[in-house]
Amino acid sequence: MYDSLLNWLIFTPCIGAVLCLLLPADKAKNIALGTTVVTLLMTVSLALAFKTGMQGPQFVTTLDWIPAINVQYKIGLDGLSLPLVVLTSALSVLVVGAGWKIGKSPNVFMALYLFLMSGMYGVFCSLDMVLFYVFFEISLLPMYFLIGIWGGPRKEYAAIKFFLYTLAGSVCLLITMLGIYNVTSSADFINGNTWDMMALQSEAVQALFAPSGEYWYFARWAFWLTFIAFAIKIPVAPFHTWLPDAHVEAPTPISMILAGVLLKMGGYALMRITYPLFPDAASLFWECVATIGVFGIIYGALCAMAQTDWKKLVAYSSVSHMGYVTLGIAVLTRTGFDGAYYQMIGHGITSAMMFFLVGVVYERAHHREINKFGGLWLKWPQYGGWSMLGFFAGMGLPGLCGFIGEVMVLLGTFHAADRAGADPTFVYILGSFAAFGVVLTAGYILWMFQRIYMGKTREEYEHFEKPNAREYAIMVTLGIAALIFGIAPLLVFNYTHATFENLMAVIGLAGS
Amino acid sequence: MLLSDPQWLPQLMADLKLVMPELWLVVTMCLVLIVPFIRKGNVILPVFVTIFGLLMALLASQGVHLDSIDTARQGLVFSNSLAIDPFSSLFKTLLMIFAMLVVVQWTLFGRDNTHALDAPDFLCLLLGATFGMSLMASANNLIMIFIATESASIPSYALAGFRKKNKISTEGSLKYVLFGSVSSALMLYGMSMLYGVSGSLQLSHIAGTINSQGMTPLMVVGLVGMLGGFAFKLSAVPMHFWCPDVFEGAPTEVTTFLSVASKGAAICMLARVIQNFGTIVYNEEILTGIALGVGALGAVTATWGNLVALHQSNLKRLLAYSSISHAGYMIMGCAVLLLVDPKLILSALLFYVLVYMFMNLGAFTVAAVLERHLGTLDIADYAGLFKKSPTLASLLIVFMLSLFGMPGLGGFMGKFLLGAGMIKAGTLGTVLVGILLLNTVFSLWYYLRPAYFMIFVDEQEDKTLPVIAPLRPAIWTILGVCCVMLFWTGLLPAVGTDIAEDNGQMIVASAKRAQDTNSQHTSNVNEPIAKADAHR
């Protein structure tokens, strides 16, 4: 029963989207809200039925899709995907709430958003590479239109930039996939070729990609190609330039889902595809990747500090925070992986909250110049309180959800000094720089907070309406989530534990 | 010699049976021309006759399986000049279906622009071109390749200039004729070289000559010349200049027809020539050399087509350059045919043609509707169209996205299967796949341009679009069929790939000379696998 429920989870948003388009436009918001609530309930029941001790995927459905080249429709949930699916479902309800007041054709907006949801669920549930690719790329299209139609002044530019950048990444993934097809169809150890992610992690395939294996040359190329594909999505610093544009131009709800879930696809895919498939290449290049991650942390933080546009600041903070994800994965320690994963969940909550907090003010002030604000706390004390919670969670204050991920990534980085073949001096320098990123984060968040919330209330904001009940509901939900996940990390680790154990074994790091 | 054989009559009858599709087309051409004597000025009657003829040709092209053909003759008819194999028969099936759809499209749009008395002429020319293309798919020796190409081209020249009063149409047609004659001359010149070197018109014998003599300079000149002629039909760079002008000037249904059928047939012809070389030549170096040459042609064509398309503001010209780049993708696929298991590539090509047919038909039909109702093909003039006719705009976006290769739509599956075949050809294949994918990335820019104007840009005050009058149900049916087919091939491609896989077989005549009567008819089916194994 749960197997089919997972299928329904992926395609229910599609049904909702079609209904949004067919029924009268004013019903669209209610349909979208209904659909997201239904998918949330489905997700919750899947999470309850999930067996936490199992390493492999659960609720698996396997169907032949393109028999000619052995492509399967194979979906399932494991510890790596379930928390992100829950995050997607929970954020989706809030995003529909945040988009409640969208003015221009709300039915098309909601329909595109629901299609996007299907894409996101599909990415997190696919266990076949072709299927993964299809969902990965399908999720770009609604995003293009959502930014391009409902965005700000430079929406067209931002939309096409987002599409082209991520497409370039997808193409790197596609060429790797074709290469894998070439490898698995020429090697005669399995029945024909395979695109099954689990089968590709098997020892037989891994032997080919090992340094002594026949396809070691390919594995090194494939590692970098897939890394770039997902690094663009995360985004890792040199490939991040689409993100500030997309975020600044996107409407608030879309920024929330973009930062909250879509960026996580990149980190998830690194853990799902790049690292388990090419572990030897990963450990060969780990210093390079880790350096890229640390560079992202510092560069993102410095850029955030320099911004005068509030939303752009939050956007650059995403670059910095996702740098921890890259670093945590790159250092190849269990703590690092756990930390990177927790950072994704934590950032999913805090970035969505921060973008929403910005959106609430932007809707009233119609600008985002940090220096033109001031004294918002006095004006709206309650809003100020929740803002503090949200931004401090983003900053990584202990007791809030941003802290655990960051600290575990840092610990994991220093642990890497114990790994065979790692140069301790390099690790310590790396770790110190990453830790310095925490200071920079505190710097730009506090400075921004001071300029916007502190000080005297400005006259031009006297007439502002207070945030309404809907807005408070979203803030409070996210705020409470930030608190809960800051106190009880086991909520996530219970689910991921067994799968990560397996992942570590595949990568060859058991016990480290 | 033929008549001295007591079996000549039964053999002739058996051969004729295999060319029934072509015979039906010829008969229908005559019938269409006779119709005006019965009912002068009637348009519907010749249309029905045409559809009937195409339907009969379609039925006649069915049922060709390698095991069902008389094993002694293996579907090589008329002294090996035509090869009737699953590959060509599936292409013919697609061609007939497509021709029927084009006739329907013409009945809905072009009829009003054509004088009623010209209708039978138009249909006759269309059938003639279809006949030529059908032969192109089977052509197996130099003479037949030339005849087939010419009998496809000459009606096409006339079709391209069918809007007699229109200057652009006439100009396009003239360019087409000039380019066509030059390239025919080039092709003939190349063929004469090939004949001079090998002393035979058979493709397989020419390939056999390479085995015995190696790649002589004369052979290279001959092959390049012949490839030049093919490049014209494929609108491959540098023989592509006719393509945008003809596509812009010709009636839309002719453009649709030429963009798919003519290129598809030329791809079949190219694939057959390459397959002959791949099966018979065993020198790996020469094979790689040929693959490199053809691959470079495809890569340059695809890249050039895409780069130029980036600048286009006219919808039809944009689609013309898009079709050039698609031809480039298919040529790249053909290039690796002689390096890998041909079945993969042949079935991928068939699937590609199948999908490409619906994408282009759909896109050009929308272009025709827009041209007719809005009086403009300038994409910038479509600003705000999405609000006025959301369904039509959405359909155009679907077709464009499929041409781009969006997963979930057929175009992606076509490219994906082609890529999966190409990647197996070692470094060359990987480079070609890289070029294919890189092209895909920047083609996105222009495929999204119509969407950009229709959705993102608001209608300008001074330039209000006329309201599009309700379209005829038949037009919606054509568009709907194309759209459904794209989603079907994109989401559930198994049916299409299975059919393509079953038909991804070509037969190649033996390389031995004709004097050896015993081995004259023995043939090899997809032999390179065994051959490649033997040589590794």
Side-chain angles (χ1 to χ4, degrees):
Chain A
M1 180 221 157
Y2 287 106
D3 300 358
S4 60
L5 191 61
L6 189 61
N7 289 299
W8 280 106
L9 178 69
I10 296 177
F11 295 108
T12 303
C14 276
I15 300 170
V18 173
L19 285 179
C20 278
L21 289 176
L22 292 180
L23 297 177
D26 52 329
K27 300 269 196 308
K29 282 181 282 192
N30 296 323
I31 296 169
L33 188 64
T35 314
T36 48
V37 168
V38 167
T39 51
L40 180 62
L41 292 175
M42 287 175 170
T43 316
V44 169
S45 55
L46 282 171
L48 292 176
F50 188 84
K51 293 188 195 68
T52 49
M54 246 173 91
Q55 292 186 331
Q58 307 176 30
F59 319 125
V60 178
T61 308
T62 313
L63 295 170
D64 277 345
W65 190 27
I66 316 173
I69 47 173
N70 281 343
V71 176
Q72 288 175 329
Y73 170 83
K74 186 173 180 188
I75 55 165
L77 281 180
D78 63 4
L80 201 57
S81 42
L82 181 84
L84 286 168
V85 169
V86 176
L87 178 76
T88 309
S89 299
L91 269 185
S92 294
V93 181
L94 301 178
V95 166
V96 170
W100 204 254
K101 284 279 179 278
I102 227 85
K104 203 156 84 179
S105 20
N107 54 338
V108 182
F109 180 89
M110 291 301 173
L112 285 171
Y113 176 67
L114 290 173
F115 276 125
L116 178 65
M117 267 179 81
S118 276
M120 295 187 293
Y121 284 134
V123 165
F124 292 133
C125 296
S126 316
L127 294 174
D128 183 278
M129 289 201 58
V130 180
L131 192 65
F132 175 90
Y133 179 83
V134 167
F135 281 122
F136 193 74
E137 207 168 308
I138 278 185
S139 65
L140 300 182
L141 192 63
M143 206 62 194
Y144 169 74
F145 287 114
L146 285 167
I147 298 176
I149 302 177
W150 288 273
R154 290 167 76 228
K155 53 188 185 171
E156 295 92 359
Y157 169 76
I160 192 76
K161 192 172 179 184
F162 163 78
F163 204 157
L164 280 176
Y165 262 68
T166 353
L167 180 72
S170 310
V171 158
C172 292
L173 173 62
L174 188 60
I175 199 162
T176 316
M177 281 165 51
L178 291 172
I180 290 174
Y181 166 73
N182 186 26
V183 170
T184 57
S185 58
S186 345
D188 46 17
F189 51 89
I190 16 178
N191 307 324
N193 66 298
T194 182
W195 308 87
D196 185 336
M197 293 183 196
M198 297 300 146
L200 288 173
Q201 296 173 10
S202 67
E203 281 179 24
V205 182
Q206 286 307 315
L208 296 174
F209 294 151
S212 53
E214 199 180 337
Y215 292 97
W216 171 232
Y217 179 75
F218 165 75
R220 283 178 289 169
W221 270 99
F223 171 77
W224 279 112
L225 283 170
T226 48
F227 178 76
I228 289 171
F230 304 134
I232 291 174
K233 197 87 181 176
I234 288 182
V236 172
F239 311 108
H240 69 287
T241 53
W242 62 269
L243 181 105
D245 285 307
H247 268 313
V248 168
E249 301 306 327
T252 305
I254 298 313
S255 285
M256 285 169 73
I257 203 71
L258 180 60
V261 178
L262 277 137
L263 304 188
K264 309 302 171 289
M265 284 180 186
Y268 167 80
L270 279 184
M271 292 186 183
R272 167 70 80 203
I273 295 174
T274 308
Y275 276 74
L277 254 52
F278 312 109
D280 293 302
S283 74
L284 180 70
F285 297 119
W286 83 272
E287 284 143 326
C288 193
V289 178
T291 313
I292 293 175
V294 172
F295 175 71
I297 297 174
I298 305 283
Y299 180 81
L302 289 176
C303 282
M305 206 174 266
Q307 297 308 316
T308 54
D309 182 316
W310 194 7
K311 207 172 181 187
K312 226 171 187 170
L313 182 144
V314 179
Y316 274 109
S317 85
S318 284
V319 177
S320 175
H321 283 138
M322 294 304 283
Y324 285 101
V325 176
T326 319
L327 175 65
I329 298 171
V331 293
L332 292 168
T333 54
R334 173 69 197 267
T335 329
F337 263 75
D338 280 346
Y341 196 78
Y342 206 82
Q343 176 76 358
M344 292 208 289
I345 302 288
H347 182 254
I349 298 167
T350 57
S351 64
M353 182 155 182
M354 290 191 283
F355 276 116
F356 185 69
L357 291 167
V358 176
V360 167
V361 174
Y362 178 67
E363 225 165 75
R364 291 162 172 81
H366 303 292
H367 76 85
R368 291 181 302 245
E369 281 298 310
I370 298 180
N371 294 323
K372 286 190 190 162
F373 288 111
L376 277 183
W377 194 312
L378 282 177
K379 175 82 183 118
W380 302 327
Q382 276 191 338
Y383 168 78
W386 289 109
S387 299
M388 192 178 74
L389 185 66
F391 283 112
F392 283 13
M395 192 172 82
L397 197 74
L400 295 173
C401 64
F403 174 71
I404 296 167
E406 275 178 20
V407 121
M408 285 182 78
V409 168
L410 292 177
L411 285 176
T413 309
F414 284 108
H415 272 310
D418 306 337
R419 263 188 331 112
D423 175 11
T425 328
F426 175 74
V427 171
Y428 293 143
I429 294 175
L430 199 70
S432 315
F433 269 103
F436 185 62
V438 178
V439 180
L440 288 177
T441 310
Y444 69 77
I445 295 237
L446 289 174
W447 190 34
M448 175 276 294
F449 201 78
Q450 188 188 342
R451 283 181 289 173
I452 288 177
Y453 291 90
M454 306 297 173
K456 268 187 270 179
T457 311
R458 290 209 184 187
E459 272 178 28
E460 61 261 42
Y461 304 121
E462 278 301 327
H463 62 281
F464 271 22
E465 303 165 45
K466 280 194 172 166
N468 55 27
R470 172 180 61 89
E471 288 166 335
Y472 271 124
I474 295 170
M475 270 184 254
V476 169
T477 317
L478 285 168
I480 290 175
L483 196 62
I484 291 177
F485 284 95
I487 297 168
L490 278 183
L491 280 178
V492 174
F493 289 139
N494 265 345
Y495 286 103
T496 59
H497 179 75
T499 308
F500 272 67
E501 201 92 317
N502 184 37
L503 189 63
M504 288 300 128
V506 169
I507 300 180
L509 295 169
S512 67
Chain B
M1 198 174 105
L2 189 64
L3 290 177
S4 62
D5 185 353
Q7 285 292 307
W8 72 273
L9 190 60
Q11 267 186 18
L12 184 65
M13 294 317 282
D15 283 358
L16 284 178
K17 222 181 223 168
L18 286 170
V19 293
M20 275 315 264
E22 286 81 4
L23 287 182
W24 269 110
L25 289 176
V26 175
V27 169
T28 319
M29 278 167 78
C30 303
L31 283 180
V32 166
L33 287 180
I34 294 171
V35 164
F37 293 110
I38 304 163
R39 280 277 189 87
K40 204 173 181 186
N42 189 324
V43 179
I44 295 302
L45 195 59
V47 167
F48 270 113
V49 172
T50 312
I51 299 259
F52 171 76
L54 286 168
L55 200 64
M56 294 313 287
L58 170 69
L59 294 176
S61 65
Q62 299 308 302
V64 176
H65 300 293
L66 276 189
D67 46 323
S68 75
I69 296 169
D70 178 19
T71 40
R73 303 189 52 84
Q74 293 280 4
L76 292 165
V77 300
F78 297 127
S79 317
N80 292 359
S81 61
L82 285 173
I84 312 293
D85 50 20
F87 182 82
S88 65
S89 75
L90 180 59
F91 177 76
K92 281 174 199 169
T93 310
L94 295 177
L95 179 69
M96 302 308 162
I97 294 174
F98 185 68
M100 275 191 260
L101 288 170
V102 169
V103 171
V104 174
Q105 197 195 21
W106 175 80
T107 323
L108 294 169
F109 298 104
R111 196 165 52 129
D112 302 350
N113 304 330
T114 322
H115 196 278
L117 290 176
D118 288 339
D121 306 354
F122 180 87
L123 293 167
C124 179
L125 288 170
L126 195 73
L127 285 165
T130 313
F131 167 75
M133 288 160 192
S134 175
L135 284 181
M136 275 164 86
S138 288
N140 199 35
N141 73 11
L142 296 184
I143 294 288
M144 192 45 85
I145 287 178
F146 185 74
I147 292 177
T149 314
E150 287 306 297
S151 57
S153 295
I154 293 170
S156 308
Y157 304 149
L159 283 173
F162 216 77
R163 290 202 289 197
K164 293 174 203 160
K165 300 278 164 64
N166 186 315
K167 263 191 175 173
I168 304 177
S169 179
T170 320
E171 186 198 326
S173 176
L174 187 63
K175 267 194 185 173
Y176 200 11
V177 173
L178 290 177
F179 262 95
S181 11
V182 172
S183 63
S184 295
L186 193 65
M187 184 155 81
L188 264 187
Y189 185 68
M191 285 174 169
S192 68
M193 296 283 176
L194 293 181
Y195 182 73
V197 175
S198 66
S200 167
L201 293 168
Q202 285 293 334
L203 288 175
S204 50
H205 297 163
I206 296 168
T209 315
I210 294 183
N211 277 345
S212 54
Q213 299 179 10
M215 204 65 168
T216 53
L218 270 183
M219 183 68 100
V220 175
V221 173
L223 285 178
V224 169
M226 195 162 80
L227 195 62
F230 286 16
F232 163 74
K233 287 310 282 178
L234 286 161
S235 68
V237 174
M239 310 289 275
H240 68 286
F241 292 102
W242 60 272
C243 182
D245 294 315
V246 170
F247 279 22
E248 189 187 0
T252 307
E253 43 286 346
V254 174
T255 310
T256 319
F257 184 68
L258 292 180
S259 73
V260 177
S262 151
K263 288 186 191 190
I267 279 289
C268 290
M269 203 162 71
L270 181 65
R272 188 174 299 283
V273 172
I274 290 179
Q275 169 74 350
N276 268 287
F277 282 91
T279 313
I280 290 161
V281 177
Y282 48 71
N283 184 332
E284 294 270 340
E285 258 175 49
I286 292 178
L287 287 182
T288 316
I290 297 175
L292 200 64
V294 179
L297 178 74
V300 170
T301 303
T303 314
W304 186 260
N306 274 324
L307 285 178
V308 181
L310 293 175
H311 298 289
Q312 299 308 313
S313 58
N314 179 305
L315 186 57
K316 266 188 177 175
R317 285 185 84 87
L318 187 146
L319 286 170
Y321 282 106
S322 133
S323 79
I324 292 177
S325 65
H326 278 272
Y329 302 149
M330 289 190 266
I331 297 172
M332 286 197 266
C334 283
V336 296
L337 195 55
L338 29 65
L339 300 178
V340 301
D341 176 7
K343 194 170 171 139
L344 266 176
I345 299 281
L346 290 178
S347 50
L349 281 174
L350 283 172
F351 188 79
Y352 202 101
V353 172
L354 166 79
V355 176
Y356 182 63
M357 170 172 127
F358 289 105
M359 307 193 275
N360 258 17
L361 179 66
F364 276 113
T365 310
V366 177
V369 171
L370 293 176
E371 185 181 20
R372 183 192 173 105
H373 290 265
L374 303 179
T376 171
L377 276 169
D378 196 342
I379 299 171
D381 288 345
Y382 299 151
L385 189 73
F386 187 80
K387 268 195 196 128
K388 289 209 162 160
S389 30
T391 321
L392 196 63
S394 313
L395 282 167
L396 182 58
I397 292 170
V398 167
F399 299 136
M400 286 305 211
L401 285 174
S402 180
L403 282 165
F404 149 66
M406 191 76 206
L409 293 167
F412 168 73
M413 282 299 164
K415 278 188 186 169
F416 184 67
L417 292 172
L418 207 56
M422 274 154 69
I423 198 90
K424 302 211 145 206
T427 319
L428 176 67
T430 315
V431 170
L432 288 179
V433 170
I435 293 172
L436 170 75
L437 294 179
L438 205 65
N439 270 296
T440 306
V441 173
F442 59 86
S443 72
L444 176 73
W445 172 261
Y446 68 84
Y447 283 128
L448 278 179
R449 263 176 79 84
Y452 166 81
F453 279 106
M454 291 189 300
I455 298 181
F456 296 171
V457 181
D458 286 327
E459 204 176 331
Q460 285 164 354
E461 297 277 319
D462 51 329
K463 260 192 182 174
T464 40
L465 289 174
V467 179
I468 293 184
L471 300 178
R472 283 182 234 185
I475 297 177
W476 287 122
T477 316
I478 287 197
L479 292 175
V481 166
C482 292
C483 186
V484 168
M485 283 305 291
L486 290 182
F487 275 105
W488 189 26
T489 48
L491 294 172
L492 299 168
V495 183
T497 51
D498 283 354
I499 295 174
E501 207 187 2
D502 289 345
N503 289 280
Q505 288 169 302
M506 242 185 209
I507 50 176
V508 169
S510 164
K512 290 246 178 81
R513 306 304 292 271
Q515 289 91 319
D516 187 356
T517 43
N518 289 330
S519 63
Q520 183 183 6
H521 296 306
T522 53
S523 326
N524 314 322
V525 179
N526 292 344
E527 207 188 337
I529 328 152
K531 185 197 69 185
D533 287 346
H535 283 269
R536 243 163 229 157

